[in-house]
């Protein structure tokens, strides 16, 4: 459990479950996957891991974190890990989700310059951690969310962000998102790390 890092997954009966959070002292790990049935309670489970390549967190620069449906767990785990680091580096998380959303967005209390007016929908857990976040929905209008992509959101933010050269982009999800993040990083000449969603 102590070896699990943001970007890792556990194999449960041969199915990869991305790690959402860990609590080594308490002896548990939380995993999240939207498109697979949970193991049946009371049955034996073969657990292997950690699997995959974790993010490299050594560079102490401001972070923009991006995820789609399949990269949600990894990026939330990354945000939590960055929040607990000393010195703390405050990330900005952007999610590209398709309905039905796995949570009810809440209006953010944190102002983020450069974003379109009315885009205030945030992930409640990150609001509790005082980490700014926003949500984009490419296929459907959702209250408080951008009808578009996560890279649309981060592009608007980078356009007015001071010291953009110091930003590192982290992304996890499908190849479409990862390719878009790579192009954005090259355009702004930013450091970047991408990881395919563990599936």
């Amino acid at each position: 459990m102590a070896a699990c890092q943001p970007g890792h997954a556990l194999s449960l009966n041969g199915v990869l479950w991305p790690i959402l959070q860990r609590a080594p002292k308490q002896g548990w790990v939380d995993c999240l996957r939207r498109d697979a049935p949970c193991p049946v309670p009371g049955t034996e489970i073969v657990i292997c891991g950690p699997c995959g390549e974790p993010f490299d967190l050594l560079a102490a620069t401001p972070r923009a974190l991006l995820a789609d449906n399949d990269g949600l767990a990894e990026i939330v785990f990354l945000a939590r890990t960055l929040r607990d680091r000393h010195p703390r580096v405050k990330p900005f998380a952007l999610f590209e989700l398709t309905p039905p959303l796995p949570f009810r967005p809440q209006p953010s209390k944190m102002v983020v310059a450069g974003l379109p007016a009315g885009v205030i929908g945030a992930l409640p857990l990150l609001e509790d951690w005082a980490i700014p976040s926003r949500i984009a929905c490419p296929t459907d209008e959702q209250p408080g969310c951008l009808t578009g992509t996560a890279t649309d959101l981060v592009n608007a933010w980078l356009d007015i962000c001071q010291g953009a050269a110091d930003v590192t982009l982290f992304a996890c999800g499908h190849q479409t998102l990862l390719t878009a993040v790579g192009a954005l990083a090259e355009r702004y000449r930013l450091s970047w790390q991408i990881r395919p969603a563990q599936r």
Side-chain angles (χ1 to χ4, degrees):
M1 294 176 187
C4 295
Q5 300 295 325
H8 275 146
L10 293 181
S11 172
L12 307 182
N13 291 339
V15 178
L16 289 177
W17 284 74
I19 296 172
L20 179 66
Q21 59 181 330
R22 59 175 185 158
K25 293 180 180 179
Q26 291 75 29
W28 55 264
V29 169
D30 244 351
C31 296
L32 174 67
R33 181 166 174 164
R34 297 178 66 183
D35 60 351
C38 291
V40 178
T43 60
E44 183 175 291
I45 300 172
V46 178
I47 302 176
C48 301
C51 307
E53 181 184 1
F55 288 104
D56 179 4
L57 307 183
L58 292 180
T61 65
R63 270 90 165 186
L65 317 180
L66 297 95
D68 58 17
N69 289 327
D70 291 338
L72 182 63
E74 292 95 325
I75 291 301
V76 170
F77 188 8
L78 177 58
R80 182 181 186 128
T81 302
L82 293 174
R83 169 180 176 262
D84 294 336
R85 288 190 62 173
H86 299 285
R88 183 179 176 188
V89 177
K90 194 171 184 178
F92 175 34
L94 302 121
F95 301 98
E96 184 176 310
L97 306 175
T98 54
L101 303 186
F103 55 86
R104 182 188 294 272
Q106 74 177 57
S108 179
K109 297 177 182 177
M110 290 170 275
V111 176
V112 179
L115 299 185
V119 177
I120 58 172
L123 195 153
L125 186 61
L126 297 191
E127 279 288 302
D128 292 343
W129 296 343
I131 295 174
S133 67
R134 293 296 187 271
I135 302 164
C137 296
T139 60
D140 193 88
E141 290 188 8
Q142 295 286 315
C145 302
L146 178 78
T147 303
T149 67
T151 48
D152 291 336
L153 283 172
V154 77
N155 188 54
W157 177 68
L158 287 171
D159 277 342
I160 62 94
C161 184
Q162 298 297 317
D166 294 331
V167 173
T168 300
L169 301 180
F170 288 79
C172 184
H174 280 139
Q175 191 58 48
T176 301
L177 173 65
L178 304 186
T179 300
V181 169
L184 201 61
E186 290 183 9
R187 174 184 168 189
Y188 287 95
R189 300 182 180 179
L190 304 177
S191 300
W192 55 298
Q193 295 184 40
I194 57 174
R195 300 289 184 272
Q198 296 286 346
R199 289 293 177 266

